[in-house]
Amino acid sequence: MIKHNFHFTHKELVLALVLFFTLVSAYADTLKIGLYDNKPKIFRDEKGQAAGIFADILADIAAREHLQIEYVYGNWPQGLGRLSSGEIDIMPDVCYTEARAQLYDFGAVPVLSDWFQVYSRRKEPVTSILDLNCHRIGVLAQSVQQDMFVNMSRDFGINPEVIGLDDYPLLVSALAEGKVDFAIFNRYFIPSGDLAGQIRETPVIFNPTRLHFAYTKGRHADLIVSMDRCLKELQQDPDSAYYKALRKWTDRAQVPLVSNRFRSLLFVVFCFLIALAVYSYFQSRQVIRKTAELSAKTGALKKAQAEAQNRERLFSLGQMAGGIAHDFNNILSTIIGYAESLHDYNAKKYNDRRIGENTEVILNAAGDAAVLVTRMREFYRKQDENAAPQLVSLKMMAREVVKLVQPRFALESYVGGRELSLHSEIQDVPLVAGIESQLKEILLNLIFNSVDACREGGEVTLRMVPEGENVLIEVSDTGTGMDSETLAQLFEPFFTTKGENGTGLGMSMVKEIVERHNGRVSVKSEPGKGTAVSILLSAAKSREGSDKPETGAAGRTLSIVAVEDDLRALQALSLMLLSDGHKVRTYSLAKEALESMLRYRPDLLITDDGMPGMSGTELAEEAKKICPGLKVILFSGFDPSLKKKKESCAADLSLPKPITLTEMQKALNTLFPAGQPETGKNLFRTNTESDGFNDRTFQ
């Protein structure tokens, strides 16, 4: 028997132990990661390797922290099951919910932001979630989007057939092959190859979310801290692997929730305003030169020449602004219609104070936007020359302004790194007589000027107090302040201290509006100590009575035909009328509306004037031939001054876009006063015949 004796030196034993613990450590740091197909966020490429945004980020973190990672491939439900059982350590691309937090651990730092969007291969228009009723909807099984869509469908009272599939490739195939009518994908989904011509996105977007790494429950406390630290460092460095992954795999990572059409429209408006400012500057210089040349002539000749130039300028600007104003007013009609519908629905069903306040802010902002569109369109016309002053509650108006400017303060603090705060001292003050939109514009302008002046941060204060029979409004800041030379030029048109970021029209506009309201404005400022702008307005004399809310057509239910070629504006108008208790039949083509009137006898026709083919005015004339006694409301987003009036217009009322529910109720009460007999009760037949636009979604 051969006997072997092994003798180890002290150094050999130490080396062996080091090697042993190195192997154990390497094994312990090997993390198993769930992998499923959701391109471009994470997927398995043609070589069977993990790829995508999450994979690139994980590779960089693993290199930083000296971690070994191993991917385990499967579908989405399998990955969640393996994470629960501990077969894998990390599952990427998981949306945080309270229910999931009971099953998995989540990092505090989100990896990506996301939302869900409905895609379709069908050709009929899809404008809202209501159009998905009774259709087959494909979703990722056991996902947040499935739960959210089911709950949202229930809230909207629709009943789609929801079909859950295990991964996104199956979902894409089902939509392309017609096994489902619509499918829900995340915002990073981009149809490729042949699918690009078959699948199209719809405007139905819902549920903004944040995506995290999810970890096996109770196992990886130290790992979660390390991963959060790495993610935070990567997200703070624009040249890190995090942003390289976003640029590599998608150009939609930072796209805002705004449609391409709306962004294009905003760009056109921006260019128009810039061109308008340049045009105004050169026009003013030209007026000065011509005035100097004609100084020897009589004052009457100068006045006549100035008036002729103003008329010519108004015409050209009206032509340019008309199309932009029309598109903006259609958009605002949609916003106002849906916001009022949501406000009314909340008041009737939930009575949630926060929802009510938020929808009121939306409606007020949309109303202000409509006024701004009108002022842009009539830039060289005397402002509001026909507007009658109303009693304005400055206290309520100031509270609305504070709500409107709060997002700007939050944005400046977050993006600009400036510590900005807004303080308000708003006392009970008497009413004033004036134009509320103009007074609100003054406050917004002054507050934003103060924000710009606080370049290193500071405080902005809005103060409103009674002063004898007047009201004192003061906006002050702790910003850079102004010297005496700057103060002397403050109210001059086109004078600005903001360089290319300012137009020089803000303070001159403030002074003009204040003087139009028979008020006074004064400014105190010192370099380095800030600025205070004070406005003194006279209190209005009290008057008896108050405006009471209108009720639709003296409580009557009207049969209404609504015609509008903009489908979003049409649906918003229909929701507004339905919420007021009326019966509505909608059409996007004037010809279809006329054909329906041969069978139905409505009480009222509401039509857009600027439609292709047959205008609203022509439709009204033909409709009254078919239905004697028919009432007609004509509305338009164009400037009415640009259209020549017809002597025999068939419209009973003409209204500008956008229109609110209160304005619509006033119009209906004017046309249908209390005490008139009801007509047109048979507007809707009991059979299943459908004509016009989207009849199945309306009553």
Side-chain angles (χ1 to χ4, degrees):
M1 181 176 181
I2 300 174
K3 188 175 182 180
H4 296 280
N5 293 320
F6 295 96
H7 299 282
F8 296 96
T9 66
H10 177 71
K11 291 183 177 180
E12 290 172 335
L13 182 60
V14 171
L15 289 173
L17 289 174
V18 171
L19 178 62
F20 172 78
F21 283 109
T22 300
L23 292 173
V24 170
S25 176
Y27 177 76
D29 287 340
T30 299
L31 299 174
K32 293 187 176 180
I33 314 293
L35 174 63
Y36 81 109
D37 289 320
N38 188 359
K39 189 176 182 180
K41 291 192 289 185
I42 191 166
F43 63 99
R44 187 170 64 172
D45 62 16
E46 296 177 353
K47 298 180 180 180
Q49 302 296 316
I53 300 172
F54 278 92
D56 287 359
I57 294 172
L58 279 168
D60 184 80
I61 293 177
R64 286 166 171 254
E65 299 297 306
H66 306 290
L67 300 174
Q68 300 294 324
I69 60 176
E70 174 187 342
Y71 284 96
V72 180
Y73 180 74
N75 58 39
W76 174 254
Q78 288 174 338
L80 293 180
R82 288 168 178 165
L83 188 64
S84 297
S85 65
E87 295 179 53
I88 60 176
D89 301 291
I90 301 176
M91 187 68 182
D93 192 25
V94 182
C95 175
Y96 175 88
T97 66
E98 292 184 1
R100 285 178 173 174
Q102 303 297 319
L103 302 175
Y104 325 114
D105 287 333
F106 286 84
V109 179
V111 185
L112 297 174
S113 62
D114 199 1
W115 58 74
F116 304 120
Q117 186 165 9
V118 177
Y119 280 74
S120 169
R121 67 189 302 272
R122 303 169 66 90
K123 295 182 179 180
E124 62 264 36
V126 177
T127 59
S128 74
I129 190 175
L130 301 177
D131 297 326
L132 307 182
N133 188 31
C134 299
H135 286 291
R136 298 168 299 171
I137 315 297
V139 298
L140 186 64
Q142 300 183 30
S143 63
V144 170
Q145 66 193 58
Q146 181 177 11
D147 297 336
M148 291 299 301
F149 182 75
V150 170
N151 293 335
M152 190 167 61
S153 299
R154 187 185 305 115
D155 292 340
F156 276 88
I158 63 175
N159 186 31
E161 179 185 354
V162 180
I163 301 174
L165 299 173
D166 287 342
D167 55 38
Y168 274 108
L170 290 176
L171 199 59
V172 173
S173 299
L175 181 60
E177 296 170 4
K179 296 179 181 178
V180 296
D181 302 315
F182 302 92
I184 300 173
F185 297 99
N186 59 68
R187 69 157 171 158
Y188 295 95
F189 171 72
I190 302 176
S192 59
D194 295 337
L195 294 178
Q198 302 178 32
I199 297 177
R200 65 180 180 86
E201 60 184 23
T202 74
V204 181
I205 299 174
F206 64 96
N207 192 36
T209 59
R210 291 182 174 181
L211 304 177
H212 295 253
F213 290 120
Y215 306 84
T216 306
K217 192 73 174 179
R219 288 191 182 180
H220 301 293
D222 293 339
L223 176 64
I224 294 174
V225 173
S226 299
M227 295 283 284
D228 280 351
R229 173 176 50 78
C230 292
L231 275 173
K232 191 172 183 180
E233 292 173 357
L234 290 171
Q235 291 172 354
Q236 290 175 347
D237 181 6
D239 297 323
S240 67
Y242 178 89
Y243 291 101
K244 289 179 181 178
L246 293 180
R247 290 190 290 267
K248 173 183 176 182
W249 292 107
T250 177
D251 59 354
R252 301 174 66 180
Q254 304 300 323
V255 174
L257 189 58
V258 180
S259 69
N260 290 334
R261 179 182 176 186
F262 192 64
R263 279 184 286 148
S264 299
L265 183 59
L266 290 178
F267 178 75
V268 170
V269 173
F270 175 77
C271 293
F272 168 74
L273 293 176
I274 295 297
L276 189 62
V278 174
Y279 179 76
S280 302
Y281 174 75
F282 285 108
Q283 280 295 107
S284 64
R285 297 290 299 270
Q286 183 179 7
V287 169
I288 293 173
R289 187 178 69 252
K290 289 188 176 182
T291 301
E293 293 174 354
L294 300 174
S295 58
K297 296 185 178 181
T298 63
L301 180 60
K302 291 181 181 180
K303 183 178 180 180
Q305 183 181 29
E307 290 178 351
Q309 290 173 345
N310 286 334
R311 286 194 297 270
E312 182 180 355
R313 186 184 300 119
L314 173 63
F315 178 77
S316 60
L317 287 175
Q319 292 288 343
M320 288 189 294
I324 296 175
H326 177 266
D327 288 345
F328 248 106
N329 284 328
N330 276 339
I331 294 170
L332 290 173
S333 296
T334 304
I335 294 172
I336 290 173
Y338 276 96
E340 286 189 328
S341 177
L342 176 60
H343 189 277
D344 184 63
Y345 183 76
N346 172 67
K348 291 179 179 177
K349 188 170 183 180
Y350 298 108
N351 198 26
D352 187 299
R353 180 181 60 82
R354 185 175 180 181
I355 295 177
E357 291 178 352
N358 289 345
T359 51
E360 286 177 0
V361 171
I362 294 173
L363 288 169
N364 289 332
D368 293 341
V371 173
L372 287 177
V373 171
T374 301
R375 295 195 68 187
M376 177 189 72
R377 188 177 56 201
E378 301 177 348
F379 189 83
Y380 283 94
R381 181 181 298 174
K382 284 187 177 181
Q383 300 297 323
D384 297 301
E385 56 188 0
N386 297 320
Q390 302 291 328
L391 289 181
V392 179
S393 171
L394 293 177
K395 182 178 180 180
M396 293 182 62
M397 183 191 74
R399 289 177 175 174
E400 292 177 8
V401 168
V402 170
K403 289 183 180 180
L404 287 173
V405 300
Q406 282 175 346
R408 171 72 184 274
F409 279 79
L411 179 64
E412 292 292 342
S413 298
Y414 179 74
V415 177
R418 295 186 287 171
E419 291 296 330
L420 278 173
S421 59
L422 174 64
H423 301 281
S424 58
E425 180 189 343
I426 304 173
Q427 299 182 12
D428 290 327
V429 295
L431 302 178
V432 300
I435 309 300
E436 182 175 355
S437 61
Q438 294 184 8
L439 296 174
K440 190 180 297 182
E441 189 175 351
I442 289 176
L443 288 186
L444 289 171
N445 197 300
L446 294 178
I447 291 175
F448 289 148
N449 279 351
S450 292
V451 170
D452 293 335
C454 296
R455 299 170 185 171
E456 304 298 329
E459 295 181 358
V460 179
T461 302
L462 170 61
R463 183 167 168 261
M464 185 176 293
V465 296
E467 188 167 291
E469 296 183 354
N470 302 315
V471 178
L472 175 64
I473 304 172
E474 183 180 82
V475 177
S476 59
D477 62 68
T478 59
T480 56
M482 294 176 283
D483 56 27
S484 57
E485 183 179 351
T486 303
L487 273 176
Q489 304 176 74
L490 185 61
F491 295 110
E492 293 181 6
F494 307 109
F495 174 77
T496 178
T497 60
K498 302 178 184 178
E500 296 180 353
N501 296 323
T503 62
L505 296 174
M507 291 305 295
S508 61
M509 178 272 296
V510 168
K511 183 179 181 182
E512 178 189 356
I513 293 177
V514 171
E515 291 178 349
R516 195 181 307 134
H517 285 76
N518 298 317
R520 300 193 304 273
V521 57
S522 60
V523 182
K524 295 180 180 180
S525 185
E526 286 187 48
K529 294 185 179 181
T531 302
V533 181
S534 300
I535 296 173
L536 200 64
L537 297 176
S538 300
K541 296 181 180 179
S542 60
R543 67 181 187 185
E544 297 182 358
S546 60
D547 295 333
K548 297 182 179 180
E550 297 285 343
T551 57
R556 291 180 50 187
T557 297
L558 298 175
S559 300
I560 301 173
V561 168
V563 188
E564 164 67 77
D565 61 315
D566 187 298
L567 299 185
R568 294 177 304 174
L570 179 61
Q571 193 166 10
L573 175 62
S574 178
L575 287 173
M576 177 189 296
L577 295 170
L578 287 172
S579 68
D580 202 34
H582 304 293
K583 297 180 180 180
V584 186
R585 182 172 288 270
T586 59
Y587 300 90
S588 59
L589 296 176
K591 182 180 179 181
E592 294 178 351
L594 279 178
E595 292 175 353
S596 73
M597 290 184 185
L598 295 172
R599 303 189 299 273
Y600 312 120
R601 291 295 183 266
D603 299 317
L604 174 65
L605 167 66
I606 302 178
T607 176
D608 181 25
D609 193 17
M611 294 187 297
M614 180 182 291
S615 69
T617 300
E618 294 169 339
L619 171 61
E621 293 175 346
E622 295 299 322
K624 285 201 169 185
K625 294 177 183 177
I626 297 174
C627 303
L630 176 72
K631 300 293 186 182
V632 177
I633 294 178
L634 191 70
F635 61 95
S636 174
F638 288 110
D639 183 353
S641 66
L642 298 179
K643 180 179 179 180
K644 295 180 179 179
K645 295 183 179 180
K646 297 181 66 176
E647 294 181 359
S648 59
C649 179
D652 297 279
L653 279 179
S654 295
L655 301 174
K657 289 183 181 179
I659 185 169
T660 65
L661 177 59
T662 301
E663 293 168 342
M664 178 61 75
Q665 288 171 339
K666 288 181 179 179
L668 296 182
N669 282 337
T670 300
L671 295 179
F672 299 94
Q676 284 190 350
E678 295 192 27
T679 60
K681 293 184 178 180
N682 298 320
L683 175 61
F684 298 96
R685 298 197 285 189
T686 57
N687 60 18
T688 58
E689 180 181 352
S690 173
D691 54 35
F693 164 73
N694 219 9
D695 277 352
R696 58 186 173 82
T697 63
F698 302 125
Q699 299 177 1

